[in-house]
C-alpha cells in the first residue's frame, strides 16, 4: 500500500494552470534528533475538514485524492514489516494521512512501532545523508544543535558566534510572546536551519 501511494505522486504531469501535488515540490524541514529521521512532505499539501470528514487540500484547493491510510495489521502468510535497522530507508508514519515520508539517517528501532518502511536509497554517491546530519537544527527551547544534541557553529563561525545566535533567537522568541505571536511555540524539535528541497522526480 505504501509503495502504491508513493508512486501516485511521482509521475505527475506538469500543469501550470491546474497544478497537482507531486514529490517534485518536496521540502525536508525537520530532522528528528532522537530517531535521526529526516522528515519531508509536499509543499502546500495538508489535511482539512470537509462535510465532517478529512480530505486533502493542495494550495487551498480540495483535491480528489485518497488519504494515505496504512493497514498495520500483519496478515497471515505475509512477510513481517521491515525494521528501521539502517540509514537510507524510506518510511511513512502510520497515522499520517498525507503522502509525507521520512528517510532514516541511522538505524532506529523506535520507529518500528509507528512507521512502515516501503523503500530504500539505492545510491548516495554525494553523501547526502552524511551532509544532512551536519546541518544545524533548532530545538523547541531555542538552542542550535546537531542531531547528536551537541552545540554547533552557525555558518562556519566560532562557538561564541553560535552562542550569540542562540541568545538572539531567545530574544526574538520572548518578543514574539510579548506581542501574542505563538508561531515560535509550535516550532518542532529538529527544525533545520538550511533549506532542503527536491527539484525533480521520476520513475526509472
Amino acid at each position: 500500500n505504501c509503495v502504491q501511494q508513493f508512486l501516485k505522486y511521482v509521475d505527475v504531469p506538469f500543469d501550470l494552470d491546474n497544478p497537482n501535488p507531486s514529490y517534485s515540490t518536496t521540502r525536508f524541514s525537520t530532522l528528528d534528533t532522537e530517531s535521526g529521521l529526516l522528515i519531508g512532505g509536499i509543499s502546500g499539501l495538508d489535511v482539512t475538514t470537509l462535510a465532517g470528514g478529512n480530505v486533502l487540500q493542495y494550495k487551498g484547493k480540495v483535491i480528489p485524492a485518497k488519504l494515505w491510510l496504512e493497514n498495520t495489521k500483519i496478515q497471515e502468510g505475509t512477510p513481517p514489516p521491515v525494521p528501521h535497522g539502517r540509514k537510507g530507508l524510506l518510511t511513512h508514519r502510520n497515522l499520517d494521512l498525507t503522502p509525507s515520508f521520512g528517510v532514516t539517517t541511522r538505524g532506529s528501532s523506535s520507529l518500528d512501532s509507528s512507521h512502515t518502511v516501503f523503500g530504500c536509497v539505492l545510491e548516495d554517491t554525494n553523501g547526502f545523508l552524511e551532509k544532512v546530519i551536519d546541518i544545524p537544527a533548532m530545538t523547541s527551547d531555542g538552542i542550535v544543535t546537531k542531531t547528536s544534541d551537541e552545540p554547533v557553529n552557525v555558518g562556519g563561525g566560532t562557538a561564541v558566534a553560535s552562542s550569540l545566535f542562540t541568545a538572539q533567537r531567545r530574544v526574538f522568541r520572548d518578543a514574539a510572546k510579548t506581542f501574542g505571536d505563538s508561531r515560535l511555540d509550535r516550532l518542532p524539535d529538529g527544525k533545520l536551519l538550511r533549506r532542503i528541497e527536491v527539484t525533480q522526480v521520476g520513475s526509472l
Side-chain angles (χ1 to χ4, degrees):
N1 182 49
C2 277
V3 174
Q4 294 174 350
Q5 291 281 12
F6 184 83
L7 291 177
K8 290 179 181 178
Y9 298 91
V10 174
D11 292 321
V12 179
F14 177 76
D15 189 337
L16 183 61
D17 297 324
N18 187 31
N20 291 305
S22 166
Y23 285 128
S24 61
T25 60
T26 295
R27 177 177 297 175
F28 292 100
S29 60
T30 306
L31 185 62
D32 184 73
T33 55
E34 294 185 2
S35 65
L37 184 66
L38 178 65
I39 304 170
I42 298 174
S43 299
L45 181 65
D46 54 20
V47 176
T48 188
T49 302
L50 180 66
N54 293 323
V55 294
L56 286 178
Q57 178 178 266
Y58 183 58
K59 295 185 177 181
K61 180 185 68 175
V62 174
I63 60 174
K66 292 184 178 180
L67 298 174
W68 189 324
L69 298 175
E70 185 61 31
N71 183 10
T72 58
K73 294 182 180 179
I74 300 177
Q75 303 293 332
E76 184 177 354
T78 59
V82 177
H84 296 75
R86 63 181 180 87
K87 68 178 180 180
L89 297 176
L90 306 184
T91 184
H92 178 262
R93 187 169 65 88
N94 297 330
L95 297 181
D96 192 347
L97 301 179
T98 72
S100 62
F101 67 98
V103 184
T104 58
T105 61
R106 63 174 183 265
S108 180
S109 59
S110 63
L111 296 171
D112 291 344
S113 61
S114 58
H115 290 67
T116 298
V117 174
F118 64 91
C120 67
V121 176
L122 296 179
E123 189 176 359
D124 187 14
T125 55
N126 295 323
F128 169 72
L129 295 177
E130 295 298 330
K131 294 176 181 177
V132 164
I133 63 176
D134 284 332
I135 295 177
M138 183 71 67
T139 63
S140 58
D141 57 2
I143 299 176
V144 181
T145 69
K146 284 186 180 179
T147 54
S148 60
D149 291 336
E150 298 175 354
V152 300
N153 299 334
V154 178
T158 64
V160 173
S162 186
S163 299
L164 179 60
F165 181 88
T166 296
Q168 289 175 337
R169 174 72 181 186
R170 286 173 172 165
V171 170
F172 292 142
R173 178 184 296 274
D174 292 341
K177 289 182 178 180
T178 301
F179 290 103
D181 191 341
S182 61
R183 287 176 295 177
L184 289 178
D185 291 333
R186 298 193 295 269
L187 186 69
D189 278 342
K191 179 72 174 181
L192 295 174
L193 299 184
R194 300 287 186 274
R195 178 176 293 182
I196 303 177
E197 294 181 337
V198 176
T199 59
Q200 185 176 4
V201 297
S203 299
L204 297 176

